[in-house]
Amino acid sequence: THTVLLVLGTALAVSTSWAKAWGITGAYNMAMAVLFIAALGISIILGVKKYETIWYKGRALAESMKTSTWHYMMCVSPYALGRSEGEIKRAFIQESRQILSPHHELIEPMCEFCDESGWITSEMDQVRSLSTEERKALYLTERVADQAQWYTQKSKQNKAKHRWWFGVLIIVQILAVASVLLRIQFDA
């Protein structure tokens, strides 16, 4: 939306001769002003809200919790076998609190997860009860392969977005060059 408003405003600013010819210069200029003011408003909202920062913090938080959960399920440090299950569960909840505590602004909208009694699920405990080989096989398929697939998919999506935006950029630049050339021809 932001980019579209800027491109439209710029397109209107580049070719004003037809607005003069039709006698609608005032309305034309007002339309340009509205587009640029709307784009400015969106810029301010994006700058103040910092949606990208919130998204990145949310991703980092999710990855930290996911890693801790996998450590718990795989019985690796700090949740290795050899201590009582109660101690291990308390250690997991304590680490989870430490991971979550700096992120109140992200956690509040998800208050159903605030109840610590549900942080360790029966499925997590079932995985812990598997043999070392079974846990390793599960980790390789559900964590490693899943992550590889996720990153491969994201890479493909980003390449497609890059091609699309590059195409848009080239089209806009061609239109800008054409506008300048037309302006040169008609102003001469």
Side-chain angles (χ1 to χ4, degrees):
T1 305
H2 186 246
T3 305
V4 170
L5 291 172
L6 287 172
V7 169
L8 286 174
T10 303
L12 290 177
V14 168
S15 80
T16 58
S17 57
W18 67 269
K20 289 178 189 172
W22 288 2
I24 58 167
T25 308
Y28 192 82
N29 290 338
M30 183 59 71
M32 275 192 294
V34 167
L35 289 171
F36 284 124
I37 290 169
L40 175 64
I42 291 173
S43 294
I44 291 169
I45 289 169
L46 292 174
V48 170
K49 294 289 187 178
K50 298 181 180 167
Y51 292 115
E52 289 176 5
T53 303
I54 293 168
W55 185 88
Y56 284 118
K57 283 182 180 180
R59 285 298 314 143
L61 176 62
E63 285 302 319
S64 295
M65 285 303 299
K66 198 173 191 181
T67 298
S68 182
T69 299
W70 275 104
H71 285 173
Y72 175 84
M73 292 190 303
M74 295 298 108
C75 303
V76 298
S77 182
Y79 316 113
L81 299 173
R83 298 188 315 185
S84 75
E85 283 300 309
E87 285 178 303
I88 292 170
K89 287 178 189 263
R90 283 191 296 278
F92 177 78
I93 289 180
Q94 180 60 33
E95 183 173 341
S96 298
R97 282 186 198 133
Q98 288 174 346
I99 292 169
L100 296 171
S101 67
H103 304 286
H104 292 292
E105 75 282 0
L106 297 174
I107 306 294
E108 287 178 15
M110 303 181 292
C111 271
E112 72 235 33
F113 299 111
C114 295
D115 180 14
E116 294 174 1
S117 65
W119 287 5
I120 299 175
T121 65
S122 60
E123 292 83 2
M124 291 166 65
D125 285 333
Q126 285 174 343
V127 171
R128 277 185 70 81
S129 69
L130 298 174
S131 71
T132 302
E133 288 304 313
E134 290 171 317
R135 287 194 312 268
K136 182 179 175 183
L138 181 72
Y139 184 79
L140 289 174
T141 58
E142 297 297 322
R143 177 69 167 156
V144 175
D146 178 63
Q147 288 287 289
Q149 180 183 2
W150 187 85
Y151 282 108
T152 300
Q153 183 63 32
K154 283 294 179 187
S155 175
K156 288 178 184 176
Q157 288 174 351
N158 286 334
K159 283 179 185 176
K161 285 180 185 178
H162 169 75
R163 282 191 300 270
W164 191 88
W165 281 110
F166 184 74
V168 168
L169 177 66
I170 295 300
I171 290 169
V172 168
Q173 289 180 350
I174 289 170
L175 291 172
V177 169
S179 294
V180 169
L181 293 175
L182 287 171
R183 196 167 188 170
I184 290 169
Q185 181 178 351
F186 288 112
D187 284 347

